[in-house]
Amino acid sequence: MEKQREQDFLDRLVIFLAKRDGIDKLVKTLQYTGKLSHWHLSRRSKRSSVPNLATRAKALEVSCGLARKAFRLGRWLSGLNNLRAPAPNLPFLALAILANAGEMVYFFFDHFTWLSRIGVLDPSLAPRFSLVSASGEAFGYVFFVIADAILIAQGVREERRLALELQAMVRSRDTKLGDESSKLGGQIQAKRVAIAAIRVKRVMSAMAIAANVADFVIALADIEPNPFVTHAVTLGISGLVSAWAGWYRNWPSS
């Protein structure tokens, strides 16, 4: 029987890009790289003879933005499906309903924004659809962030409890012999695995918070535009933070 080959970078990249979220994060990286490049090249083009590069960077940004909207067709159904999952308690159920409701509004009206911008619907309607979509997006992110913050706090408390139990087991094992020591050794290993799993979940929750806060800033550019949130650097950095957090969360672990 042949030994199964371990997954390398290329294997994981193929798996990552086979996911809809994987493609979205790749195109999002290109989109906001294009935005930052356009901002930088536009400033340089005033003093050089290469304004065409800025135009190309802007074309990359716009085309990637439209492509991402096309990839998200039907994505609002994910929020509806998430509401069918059982919640551990009433507060989490309320957070799930509010967060997913906002996300569904975001993705649903994003379809109409896309159709307006490509000319299928009246292009003058695009700003209205975008405003409704961004409002739902921002609303949902508030409750997603709250839920992840609660999960992190719960994980910290659980890790402390397990760490205390682990310390007690280690001290107890040192006084045991034979089978009792071996049995405690297995329990100690199980505690260590549980603590490691909590830490992984905490990192994932932190990445989700980073992505949601960054996307919230981007949504504010449509809801309440001001010189800070609409600046190309603010939007570009926020977009890349969100994209890279998504890369981390969706990258295959094995």
Side-chain angles (χ1 to χ4, degrees):
M1 185 175 180
E2 293 186 7
K3 185 178 179 180
Q4 189 173 6
R5 178 174 60 86
E6 290 187 5
Q7 289 183 348
D8 57 15
F9 174 80
L10 182 58
D11 292 319
R12 296 180 183 183
L13 181 61
V14 169
I15 294 171
F16 176 80
L17 294 178
K19 304 176 183 177
R20 173 152 54 173
D21 280 344
I23 288 289
D24 180 70
K25 301 317 171 193
L26 173 60
V27 179
K28 189 172 189 176
T29 301
L30 294 174
Q31 176 186 358
Y32 287 98
T33 299
K35 176 175 281 294
L36 288 173
S37 298
H38 174 256
W39 172 78
H40 176 67
L41 292 168
S42 294
R43 298 174 69 201
R44 286 188 57 197
S45 66
K46 296 176 182 178
R47 305 186 299 271
S48 67
S49 58
V50 288
N52 197 33
L53 290 178
T55 303
R56 293 176 184 178
K58 185 64 177 179
L60 174 65
E61 177 199 346
V62 173
S63 63
C64 287
L66 290 174
R68 290 183 62 225
K69 292 183 184 301
F71 292 149
R72 293 197 290 258
L73 282 172
R75 181 69 182 274
W76 66 275
L77 293 172
S78 297
L80 185 62
N81 193 50
N82 290 339
L83 293 176
R84 301 167 63 190
N89 52 49
L90 187 58
F92 266 100
L93 176 61
L95 287 171
I97 291 173
L98 293 169
N100 284 286
E103 187 177 71
M104 283 190 287
V105 170
Y106 162 45
F107 286 125
F108 184 77
F109 281 92
D110 197 49
H111 300 343
F112 296 105
T113 304
W114 171 62
L115 292 172
S116 299
R117 287 182 177 169
I118 63 175
V120 175
L121 298 178
D122 186 351
S124 66
L125 295 174
R128 298 180 188 178
F129 289 136
S130 182
L131 176 60
V132 175
S133 177
S135 299
E137 179 184 18
F139 179 84
Y141 287 150
V142 169
F143 297 101
F144 278 127
V145 168
I146 292 172
D148 280 312
I150 292 173
L151 289 175
I152 288 175
Q154 290 179 343
V156 169
R157 289 194 295 269
E158 181 65 11
E159 183 181 351
R160 288 174 180 169
R161 184 185 67 80
L162 290 173
L164 290 174
E165 292 180 0
L166 179 61
Q167 291 175 4
M169 285 181 176
V170 170
R171 288 195 297 268
S172 178
R173 184 185 60 178
D174 294 340
T175 63
K176 304 291 183 180
L177 297 173
D179 292 341
E180 289 186 6
S181 178
S182 298
K183 184 178 179 180
L184 274 175
Q187 294 175 352
I188 289 171
Q189 183 59 28
K191 293 289 184 184
R192 287 172 175 163
V193 170
I195 290 173
I198 289 172
R199 290 173 178 170
V200 169
K201 290 180 180 178
R202 182 161 64 240
V203 171
M204 290 299 184
S205 292
M207 287 293 164
I209 289 174
N212 289 333
V213 169
D215 285 329
F216 182 86
V217 172
I218 295 172
L220 283 180
D222 282 326
I223 301 169
E224 197 67 38
N226 62 67
F228 175 73
V229 298
T230 58
H231 196 282
V233 174
T234 303
L235 292 173
I237 292 175
S238 296
L240 290 178
V241 167
S242 174
W244 293 339
W247 275 82
Y248 186 91
R249 294 173 65 203
N250 288 282
W251 189 259
S253 59
S254 60

